Amino acid sequence: MVHRKSFLVVWLIWVSAANAQPPSPRIITCGWNAPTVAQFARDLDKMPGELPLTGCVLTLHADSGNPDPLATAHGTDDWSQLDVRRSIEAAAAVSKESMPDNFLLLKANPGAVDWFDDDGWQTIVDHYRIAARLARQAGLRGLLLDFEPYTHPHRQFQYSRQAAATEHDFADYQTATRRRGREMMEAIAAEFPDAEICTFFLLSYLIEDHHHRGPSPVGRSDAQWCLAGHAYGLLPALVDGWLDVLPPSITLIDGCENGYWFTSAGQFQSCAQAVRQRGVQLVSGENREKYSNQVRVAFPVYLDAIHPDLAGRYTLEPARSDRLALLKRNLNAAIASGDGLVWLYGEQGRWWPEAGDEALWKGKDTYPHWETQIPGISRLITSVVAGATQKPAPKVPPQTRPSAQPDSEPTAAAGDVEIGASVLDVEPVWETHNGDARGDVVLGDGQVTITAAEDASGIATFPTEPNRRYMIQVQVVQQGRGLTRMTVRWKTPDGQWRTSRDNDVVAYPPDGDPFTPRTITAIVTAPAQPHRMVVICNASRQLTNDDAALFGNLLIGVVDD
């Protein structure tokens, strides 16, 4: 995951009439070159320049003490004596007529306060209260929340990382998290009752399976198992708490951060629909109407990945030479599919002037202007925004109710489907891997037993033929807590991991009782050059010796044509 965020935001107010003239998009800058509140006040008259900029996301540099206090909103530092009056008063004094859409950035670090820690959470709630007050006093539009963990111990929303996880089951943690969500939103609303609360992601991280975060719980009878093992499994409970007390004057925005990697307009459209129709299933029934009315969809475009070199292995469609055309496609799709927010995420470029003495960190504003990094980008953005303004607004349905309720019959999972394949009589080479000193992995008679592990695997390697389609199946049963999955990767004949992930597959157990055997199934296509298939039977997020997973009956077959 890319850690620090730099983006432009394009905001289109949602219009329901088929032929209404859309408003001008609102475009907001933010990121590694994000101005501090003081820099914003100093340099606002130099912006927006030729780009159609209408705002930015701001960091807060304290005049003394912690230089970047809002980066540790989920910590226990005392913010009541923050020395920021000079910055806030300067921002409040400048006219924002040219750039009215400005947000204060908070990060959920270090995430070390347990949800049952009343004193610790009182401090965190005070942080959000103070941040909302400062944003209102500075004349900003609202807050932008970043829930991604960047510092130890990480994972504010992962059940297995909570300090008292061995004392409380997952349902207890959901209850505690929902209570904290209510407290947090009550504090924000009391200070800033008409704030816009933007996020890089909300429930968009749970609407589809993800290769390392976890399986989506939507529509599954084992939703609690999915959530208990998911990296953001407690986030729906927090959102539920928000919605319990959310006033109608506050709007929540899901930034759909996974849109970094979208390569077609259809992916943007599908994600937006899923956030509306599947995301709403992750909150309680009494809050679904409020979710539908007050949660909006946003999308990113990752600028470093548009550039041919800056993002390295994260480069989007690296074989393409028409980089501006790629940007135009994704920016148009993001605007057309979302309800408003489109953020251009970048790290190694800048939009604001050099910050000089007002920079939050030394040397952080030394990156070249984005126009230097991607020549023609300013003209293209301006053109796309102008086109979006001139075109009649498409008829967009309101935020809809889910097409299927969570208690409806789940669809058949991959492990339950008949797949035509000829089973191969091959003997794999087995080995083990334990990513942490905790836990144990035992091999025996073609079975893998993993106990008390944060992240451990039994690994089987097979020979394959280029371009052949294979079916892999393995049975898994577990006791206690933990997440199980099967990953298929590839090694070259000399034992090197294939760097391209195009042929990799991650599969989770199908819907069902995790304490009875479930068959995980994956269909893969071997790379065009000779490789060996590596099947990884993985268990993670186990807590004690009472938590274990048993993998067995591994089969590999050639899929029948």
Side-chain angles (χ1 to χ4, degrees):
M1 184 53 139
V2 185
H3 288 276
R4 287 170 288 182
K5 306 227 172 5
S6 167
F7 58 87
L8 291 177
V9 178
V10 180
W11 185 305
L12 294 175
I13 298 176
W14 170 65
V15 179
S16 60
N19 297 314
Q21 184 71 18
S24 296
R26 298 189 288 166
I27 306 178
I28 302 174
T29 67
C30 172
W32 283 13
N33 182 241
T36 63
V37 175
Q39 181 195 350
F40 168 79
R42 187 194 70 187
D43 293 340
L44 182 58
D45 62 347
K46 301 181 179 68
M47 302 292 284
E50 296 182 0
L51 279 168
L53 305 177
T54 65
C56 63
V57 175
L58 308 171
T59 57
L60 183 63
H61 190 171
D63 295 329
S64 63
N66 183 350
D68 190 17
L70 304 191
T72 55
H74 284 231
T76 56
D77 292 341
D78 182 4
W79 288 8
S80 63
Q81 302 302 316
L82 282 181
D83 184 11
V84 296
R85 181 174 58 85
R86 184 180 63 178
S87 296
I88 297 301
E89 289 181 351
V94 297
S95 171
K96 303 175 188 65
E97 183 177 353
S98 63
M99 295 185 71
D101 305 312
N102 308 294
F103 298 84
L104 196 58
L105 176 65
L106 287 85
K107 297 180 180 180
N109 294 303
V113 179
D114 190 90
W115 297 92
F116 283 95
D117 182 346
D118 289 336
D119 292 338
W121 265 94
Q122 182 58 56
T123 300
I124 293 175
V125 169
D126 283 343
H127 289 171
Y128 281 90
R129 177 182 293 106
I130 291 167
R133 181 188 308 146
L134 294 175
R136 176 181 53 78
Q137 290 174 343
L140 308 183
R141 183 72 69 187
L143 303 174
L144 193 147
L145 311 182
D146 183 1
F147 289 137
E148 183 176 349
Y150 301 115
T151 60
H152 184 80
H154 306 297
R155 305 293 187 266
Q156 178 71 79
F157 300 97
Q158 183 175 311
Y159 167 57
S160 66
R161 294 290 181 92
Q162 305 309 307
T166 58
E167 303 170 26
H168 299 277
D169 64 20
F170 180 67
D172 289 340
Y173 264 97
Q174 287 177 302
T175 300
T177 304
R178 185 169 178 175
R179 182 172 71 253
R180 303 308 182 194
R182 288 194 293 268
E183 294 168 354
M184 182 190 299
M185 187 52 65
E186 285 173 341
I188 293 172
E191 295 290 344
F192 202 159
D194 57 349
E196 292 176 348
I197 308 299
C198 305
T199 66
F200 291 125
F201 60 88
L202 273 181
L203 303 187
S204 55
Y205 264 10
L206 294 104
I207 56 176
E208 303 290 348
D209 293 354
H210 189 270
H211 60 277
H212 68 79
R213 287 192 288 265
S216 172
V218 179
R220 292 181 57 139
S221 64
D222 62 349
Q224 287 294 90
W225 174 81
C226 297
L227 288 169
H230 200 284
Y232 292 99
L234 290 170
L235 188 54
L238 183 84
V239 174
D240 230 358
W242 284 2
L243 294 171
D244 285 339
V245 296
L246 188 71
S249 55
I250 288 181
T251 298
L252 306 177
I253 301 170
D254 189 324
C256 299
E257 190 174 43
N258 51 318
Y260 289 162
W261 319 116
F262 291 172
T263 57
S264 71
Q267 286 178 290
F268 286 92
Q269 294 166 0
S270 296
C271 181
Q273 183 179 28
V275 171
R276 296 169 184 136
Q277 297 187 353
R278 292 170 61 84
V280 72
Q281 297 182 41
L282 292 168
V283 301
S284 57
E286 63 268 24
N287 282 330
R288 288 177 186 165
E289 182 174 1
K290 194 176 285 189
Y291 179 101
S292 297
N293 290 336
Q294 293 178 249
V295 175
R296 294 290 178 261
V297 177
F299 284 110
V301 177
Y302 179 15
L303 290 184
D304 295 68
I306 298 295
H307 189 280
D309 304 313
L310 292 178
R313 66 189 179 95
Y314 293 110
T315 301
L316 198 62
E317 299 181 62
R320 289 189 60 160
S321 60
D322 53 342
R323 308 310 292 177
L324 284 177
L326 189 156
L327 172 60
K328 182 177 181 179
R329 180 201 66 195
N330 277 22
L331 183 54
N332 271 318
I335 292 172
S337 299
D339 296 319
L341 208 61
V342 178
W343 38 292
L344 302 182
Y345 165 45
E347 296 177 336
Q348 300 177 69
R350 62 181 176 85
W351 296 106
W352 277 73
E354 293 185 6
D357 293 341
E358 299 292 350
L360 188 56
W361 304 114
K362 182 180 179 182
K364 113 181 236 184
D365 59 347
T366 60
Y367 298 103
H369 195 277
W370 275 113
E371 185 60 41
T372 301
Q373 298 287 44
I374 307 177
I377 187 174
S378 301
R379 185 173 63 252
L380 185 138
I381 293 171
T382 302
S383 174
V384 169
V385 170
T389 303
Q390 294 166 4
K391 287 185 293 189
K395 186 174 183 179
V396 180
Q399 305 283 324
T400 57
R401 307 297 192 275
S403 57
Q405 296 300 320
D407 55 356
S408 62
E409 254 336 280
T411 57
D416 302 323
V417 176
E418 289 288 336
I419 299 173
S422 302
V423 177
L424 299 177
D425 184 15
V426 292
E427 191 69 27
V429 176
W430 282 95
E431 58 183 310
T432 65
H433 172 75
N434 194 345
D436 192 278
R438 181 166 64 84
D440 192 27
V441 188
V442 177
L443 298 176
D445 298 325
Q447 294 185 333
V448 181
T449 304
I450 303 174
T451 307
E454 174 60 30
D455 183 13
S457 305
I459 302 172
T461 304
F462 297 88
T464 62
E465 298 178 23
N467 294 320
R468 294 299 300 269
R469 294 183 71 219
Y470 292 92
M471 178 200 73
I472 306 95
Q473 288 190 327
V474 67
Q475 280 194 326
V476 62
V477 64
Q478 70 184 76
Q479 65 182 31
R481 292 155 292 201
L483 182 68
T484 56
R485 63 186 154 223
M486 177 177 69
T487 301
V488 180
R489 295 191 63 191
W490 306 89
K491 280 189 173 181
T492 59
D494 62 354
Q496 300 299 308
W497 287 107
R498 177 178 171 85
T499 56
S500 171
R501 298 296 181 92
D502 295 344
N503 299 87
D504 293 357
V505 170
V506 176
Y508 293 99
D511 192 7
D513 183 354
F515 306 117
T516 61
R518 298 191 287 178
T519 300
I520 307 176
T521 299
I523 304 294
V524 300
T525 301
Q529 301 300 321
H531 280 77
R532 294 177 67 81
M533 179 194 300
V534 183
V535 179
I536 304 170
C537 301
N538 176 264
S540 61
R541 299 163 193 172
Q542 298 172 333
L543 294 172
T544 70
N545 288 330
D546 294 328
D547 304 326
L550 173 66
F551 293 87
N553 299 326
L554 177 64
L555 297 176
I556 180 171
V558 175
V559 175
D560 299 333
D561 294 331

PDB file of all heavy atoms in Angstrom, residues 497-516:
ATOM      1  N   TRP A 497      10.845 -15.956  -7.503  1.00  0.00           N
ATOM      2  CA  TRP A 497       9.422 -15.634  -7.572  1.00  0.00           C
ATOM      3  C   TRP A 497       9.133 -14.823  -8.830  1.00  0.00           C
ATOM      4  O   TRP A 497       9.901 -13.933  -9.195  1.00  0.00           O
ATOM      5  CB  TRP A 497       8.978 -14.814  -6.359  1.00  0.00           C
ATOM      6  CG  TRP A 497       8.901 -15.601  -5.086  1.00  0.00           C
ATOM      7  CD1 TRP A 497       9.767 -15.531  -4.037  1.00  0.00           C
ATOM      8  CD2 TRP A 497       7.893 -16.552  -4.725  1.00  0.00           C
ATOM      9  NE1 TRP A 497       9.372 -16.384  -3.043  1.00  0.00           N
ATOM     10  CE2 TRP A 497       8.221 -17.020  -3.421  1.00  0.00           C
ATOM     11  CE3 TRP A 497       6.763 -17.054  -5.349  1.00  0.00           C
ATOM     12  CZ2 TRP A 497       7.449 -17.969  -2.755  1.00  0.00           C
ATOM     13  CZ3 TRP A 497       5.995 -17.997  -4.690  1.00  0.00           C
ATOM     14  CH2 TRP A 497       6.339 -18.450  -3.405  1.00  0.00           C
ATOM     15  N   ARG A 498       8.046 -15.138  -9.496  1.00  0.00           N
ATOM     16  CA  ARG A 498       7.589 -14.337 -10.632  1.00  0.00           C
ATOM     17  C   ARG A 498       7.175 -12.968 -10.104  1.00  0.00           C
ATOM     18  O   ARG A 498       6.352 -12.854  -9.197  1.00  0.00           O
ATOM     19  CB  ARG A 498       6.428 -15.035 -11.325  1.00  0.00           C
ATOM     20  CG  ARG A 498       5.822 -14.251 -12.485  1.00  0.00           C
ATOM     21  CD  ARG A 498       4.697 -15.065 -13.135  1.00  0.00           C
ATOM     22  NE  ARG A 498       3.954 -14.277 -14.093  1.00  0.00           N
ATOM     23  CZ  ARG A 498       4.312 -14.108 -15.369  1.00  0.00           C
ATOM     24  NH1 ARG A 498       5.413 -14.689 -15.806  1.00  0.00           N
ATOM     25  NH2 ARG A 498       3.577 -13.373 -16.189  1.00  0.00           N
ATOM     26  N   THR A 499       7.748 -11.909 -10.673  1.00  0.00           N
ATOM     27  CA  THR A 499       7.467 -10.567 -10.167  1.00  0.00           C
ATOM     28  C   THR A 499       6.092 -10.057 -10.582  1.00  0.00           C
ATOM     29  O   THR A 499       5.434  -9.347  -9.849  1.00  0.00           O
ATOM     30  CB  THR A 499       8.547  -9.583 -10.643  1.00  0.00           C
ATOM     31  OG1 THR A 499       8.624  -9.629 -12.071  1.00  0.00           O
ATOM     32  CG2 THR A 499       9.896  -9.936 -10.056  1.00  0.00           C
ATOM     33  N   SER A 500       5.632 -10.415 -11.776  1.00  0.00           N
ATOM     34  CA  SER A 500       4.297 -10.011 -12.210  1.00  0.00           C
ATOM     35  C   SER A 500       3.254 -10.827 -11.463  1.00  0.00           C
ATOM     36  O   SER A 500       3.394 -12.041 -11.294  1.00  0.00           O
ATOM     37  CB  SER A 500       4.131 -10.232 -13.717  1.00  0.00           C
ATOM     38  OG  SER A 500       2.792 -10.027 -14.092  1.00  0.00           O
ATOM     39  N   ARG A 501       2.203 -10.147 -11.007  1.00  0.00           N
ATOM     40  CA  ARG A 501       1.130 -10.820 -10.268  1.00  0.00           C
ATOM     41  C   ARG A 501      -0.041 -11.206 -11.167  1.00  0.00           C
ATOM     42  O   ARG A 501      -1.088 -11.605 -10.660  1.00  0.00           O
ATOM     43  CB  ARG A 501       0.638  -9.910  -9.139  1.00  0.00           C
ATOM     44  CG  ARG A 501       1.700  -9.563  -8.087  1.00  0.00           C
ATOM     45  CD  ARG A 501       2.162 -10.804  -7.345  1.00  0.00           C
ATOM     46  NE  ARG A 501       3.148 -10.511  -6.321  1.00  0.00           N
ATOM     47  CZ  ARG A 501       2.855 -10.251  -5.042  1.00  0.00           C
ATOM     48  NH1 ARG A 501       1.589 -10.211  -4.654  1.00  0.00           N
ATOM     49  NH2 ARG A 501       3.797 -10.022  -4.166  1.00  0.00           N
ATOM     50  N   ASP A 502       0.125 -11.112 -12.476  1.00  0.00           N
ATOM     51  CA  ASP A 502      -0.997 -11.349 -13.381  1.00  0.00           C
ATOM     52  C   ASP A 502      -1.582 -12.748 -13.237  1.00  0.00           C
ATOM     53  O   ASP A 502      -2.777 -12.956 -13.481  1.00  0.00           O
ATOM     54  CB  ASP A 502      -0.567 -11.120 -14.835  1.00  0.00           C
ATOM     55  CG  ASP A 502      -0.189  -9.684 -15.116  1.00  0.00           C
ATOM     56  OD1 ASP A 502      -0.548  -8.816 -14.290  1.00  0.00           O
ATOM     57  OD2 ASP A 502       0.470  -9.424 -16.140  1.00  0.00           O
ATOM     58  N   ASN A 503      -0.750 -13.727 -12.910  1.00  0.00           N
ATOM     59  CA  ASN A 503      -1.211 -15.107 -12.833  1.00  0.00           C
ATOM     60  C   ASN A 503      -1.482 -15.567 -11.403  1.00  0.00           C
ATOM     61  O   ASN A 503      -1.836 -16.724 -11.184  1.00  0.00           O
ATOM     62  CB  ASN A 503      -0.183 -16.044 -13.476  1.00  0.00           C
ATOM     63  CG  ASN A 503       0.040 -15.738 -14.943  1.00  0.00           C
ATOM     64  OD1 ASN A 503       0.873 -14.903 -15.286  1.00  0.00           O
ATOM     65  ND2 ASN A 503      -0.704 -16.392 -15.825  1.00  0.00           N
ATOM     66  N   ASP A 504      -1.307 -14.685 -10.428  1.00  0.00           N
ATOM     67  CA  ASP A 504      -1.534 -15.055  -9.032  1.00  0.00           C
ATOM     68  C   ASP A 504      -3.029 -15.075  -8.717  1.00  0.00           C
ATOM     69  O   ASP A 504      -3.814 -14.322  -9.301  1.00  0.00           O
ATOM     70  CB  ASP A 504      -0.850 -14.064  -8.095  1.00  0.00           C
ATOM     71  CG  ASP A 504       0.663 -14.120  -8.190  1.00  0.00           C
ATOM     72  OD1 ASP A 504       1.183 -14.963  -8.947  1.00  0.00           O
ATOM     73  OD2 ASP A 504       1.329 -13.316  -7.513  1.00  0.00           O
ATOM     74  N   VAL A 505      -3.413 -15.926  -7.774  1.00  0.00           N
ATOM     75  CA  VAL A 505      -4.805 -16.030  -7.346  1.00  0.00           C
ATOM     76  C   VAL A 505      -4.828 -16.191  -5.827  1.00  0.00           C
ATOM     77  O   VAL A 505      -4.000 -16.920  -5.264  1.00  0.00           O
ATOM     78  CB  VAL A 505      -5.520 -17.219  -8.000  1.00  0.00           C
ATOM     79  CG1 VAL A 505      -6.887 -17.459  -7.367  1.00  0.00           C
ATOM     80  CG2 VAL A 505      -5.687 -16.997  -9.493  1.00  0.00           C
ATOM     81  N   VAL A 506      -5.755 -15.500  -5.180  1.00  0.00           N
ATOM     82  CA  VAL A 506      -6.023 -15.703  -3.758  1.00  0.00           C
ATOM     83  C   VAL A 506      -7.471 -16.132  -3.626  1.00  0.00           C
ATOM     84  O   VAL A 506      -8.366 -15.493  -4.187  1.00  0.00           O
ATOM     85  CB  VAL A 506      -5.769 -14.424  -2.939  1.00  0.00           C
ATOM     86  CG1 VAL A 506      -6.146 -14.642  -1.474  1.00  0.00           C
ATOM     87  CG2 VAL A 506      -4.321 -14.003  -3.052  1.00  0.00           C
ATOM     88  N   ALA A 507      -7.714 -17.226  -2.908  1.00  0.00           N
ATOM     89  CA  ALA A 507      -9.068 -17.747  -2.738  1.00  0.00           C
ATOM     90  C   ALA A 507      -9.331 -18.014  -1.262  1.00  0.00           C
ATOM     91  O   ALA A 507      -8.461 -18.526  -0.545  1.00  0.00           O
ATOM     92  CB  ALA A 507      -9.257 -19.025  -3.545  1.00  0.00           C
ATOM     93  N   TYR A 508     -10.542 -17.674  -0.826  1.00  0.00           N
ATOM     94  CA  TYR A 508     -10.964 -17.896   0.554  1.00  0.00           C
ATOM     95  C   TYR A 508     -11.943 -19.072   0.606  1.00  0.00           C
ATOM     96  O   TYR A 508     -12.535 -19.453  -0.414  1.00  0.00           O
ATOM     97  CB  TYR A 508     -11.630 -16.646   1.111  1.00  0.00           C
ATOM     98  CG  TYR A 508     -10.671 -15.487   1.278  1.00  0.00           C
ATOM     99  CD1 TYR A 508     -10.587 -14.467   0.331  1.00  0.00           C
ATOM    100  CD2 TYR A 508      -9.832 -15.413   2.386  1.00  0.00           C
ATOM    101  CE1 TYR A 508      -9.706 -13.410   0.488  1.00  0.00           C
ATOM    102  CE2 TYR A 508      -8.949 -14.356   2.546  1.00  0.00           C
ATOM    103  CZ  TYR A 508      -8.883 -13.367   1.601  1.00  0.00           C
ATOM    104  OH  TYR A 508      -8.003 -12.328   1.757  1.00  0.00           O
ATOM    105  N   PRO A 509     -12.175 -19.641   1.787  1.00  0.00           N
ATOM    106  CA  PRO A 509     -13.187 -20.694   1.894  1.00  0.00           C
ATOM    107  C   PRO A 509     -14.557 -20.178   1.468  1.00  0.00           C
ATOM    108  O   PRO A 509     -14.880 -19.008   1.707  1.00  0.00           O
ATOM    109  CB  PRO A 509     -13.169 -21.057   3.380  1.00  0.00           C
ATOM    110  CG  PRO A 509     -11.824 -20.625   3.869  1.00  0.00           C
ATOM    111  CD  PRO A 509     -11.491 -19.402   3.071  1.00  0.00           C
ATOM    112  N   PRO A 510     -15.373 -21.026   0.856  1.00  0.00           N
ATOM    113  CA  PRO A 510     -16.730 -20.598   0.490  1.00  0.00           C
ATOM    114  C   PRO A 510     -17.587 -20.413   1.732  1.00  0.00           C
ATOM    115  O   PRO A 510     -17.192 -20.804   2.841  1.00  0.00           O
ATOM    116  CB  PRO A 510     -17.242 -21.758  -0.372  1.00  0.00           C
ATOM    117  CG  PRO A 510     -16.500 -22.949   0.157  1.00  0.00           C
ATOM    118  CD  PRO A 510     -15.120 -22.438   0.512  1.00  0.00           C
ATOM    119  N   ASP A 511     -18.722 -19.794   1.548  1.00  0.00           N
ATOM    120  CA  ASP A 511     -19.652 -19.560   2.644  1.00  0.00           C
ATOM    121  C   ASP A 511     -19.953 -20.875   3.362  1.00  0.00           C
ATOM    122  O   ASP A 511     -20.153 -21.916   2.729  1.00  0.00           O
ATOM    123  CB  ASP A 511     -20.939 -18.945   2.088  1.00  0.00           C
ATOM    124  CG  ASP A 511     -21.842 -18.415   3.188  1.00  0.00           C
ATOM    125  OD1 ASP A 511     -21.418 -18.401   4.363  1.00  0.00           O
ATOM    126  OD2 ASP A 511     -22.965 -17.994   2.873  1.00  0.00           O
ATOM    127  N   GLY A 512     -20.001 -20.825   4.665  1.00  0.00           N
ATOM    128  CA  GLY A 512     -20.300 -22.017   5.436  1.00  0.00           C
ATOM    129  C   GLY A 512     -19.713 -21.957   6.826  1.00  0.00           C
ATOM    130  O   GLY A 512     -19.087 -20.965   7.219  1.00  0.00           O
ATOM    131  N   ASP A 513     -19.870 -23.012   7.558  1.00  0.00           N
ATOM    132  CA  ASP A 513     -19.390 -23.091   8.932  1.00  0.00           C
ATOM    133  C   ASP A 513     -17.883 -23.328   8.934  1.00  0.00           C
ATOM    134  O   ASP A 513     -17.414 -24.348   8.428  1.00  0.00           O
ATOM    135  CB  ASP A 513     -20.101 -24.248   9.641  1.00  0.00           C
ATOM    136  CG  ASP A 513     -19.716 -24.374  11.108  1.00  0.00           C
ATOM    137  OD1 ASP A 513     -18.816 -23.636  11.560  1.00  0.00           O
ATOM    138  OD2 ASP A 513     -20.314 -25.222  11.798  1.00  0.00           O
ATOM    139  N   PRO A 514     -17.086 -22.406   9.473  1.00  0.00           N
ATOM    140  CA  PRO A 514     -15.631 -22.600   9.459  1.00  0.00           C
ATOM    141  C   PRO A 514     -15.164 -23.761  10.315  1.00  0.00           C
ATOM    142  O   PRO A 514     -14.020 -24.207  10.180  1.00  0.00           O
ATOM    143  CB  PRO A 514     -15.096 -21.270  10.000  1.00  0.00           C
ATOM    144  CG  PRO A 514     -16.214 -20.680  10.776  1.00  0.00           C
ATOM    145  CD  PRO A 514     -17.469 -21.122  10.096  1.00  0.00           C
ATOM    146  N   PHE A 515     -16.046 -24.287  11.179  1.00  0.00           N
ATOM    147  CA  PHE A 515     -15.662 -25.394  12.053  1.00  0.00           C
ATOM    148  C   PHE A 515     -16.018 -26.747  11.463  1.00  0.00           C
ATOM    149  O   PHE A 515     -15.882 -27.780  12.133  1.00  0.00           O
ATOM    150  CB  PHE A 515     -16.308 -25.210  13.427  1.00  0.00           C
ATOM    151  CG  PHE A 515     -15.995 -23.866  14.030  1.00  0.00           C
ATOM    152  CD1 PHE A 515     -17.001 -22.956  14.293  1.00  0.00           C
ATOM    153  CD2 PHE A 515     -14.688 -23.487  14.297  1.00  0.00           C
ATOM    154  CE1 PHE A 515     -16.709 -21.710  14.831  1.00  0.00           C
ATOM    155  CE2 PHE A 515     -14.383 -22.242  14.831  1.00  0.00           C
ATOM    156  CZ  PHE A 515     -15.405 -21.351  15.095  1.00  0.00           C
ATOM    157  N   THR A 516     -16.477 -26.757  10.214  1.00  0.00           N
ATOM    158  CA  THR A 516     -16.651 -27.993   9.445  1.00  0.00           C
ATOM    159  C   THR A 516     -15.806 -27.857   8.177  1.00  0.00           C
ATOM    160  O   THR A 516     -15.507 -26.742   7.740  1.00  0.00           O
ATOM    161  CB  THR A 516     -18.124 -28.225   9.076  1.00  0.00           C
ATOM    162  OG1 THR A 516     -18.584 -27.131   8.265  1.00  0.00           O
ATOM    163  CG2 THR A 516     -18.983 -28.326  10.334  1.00  0.00           C
TER     164      THR A 516
END
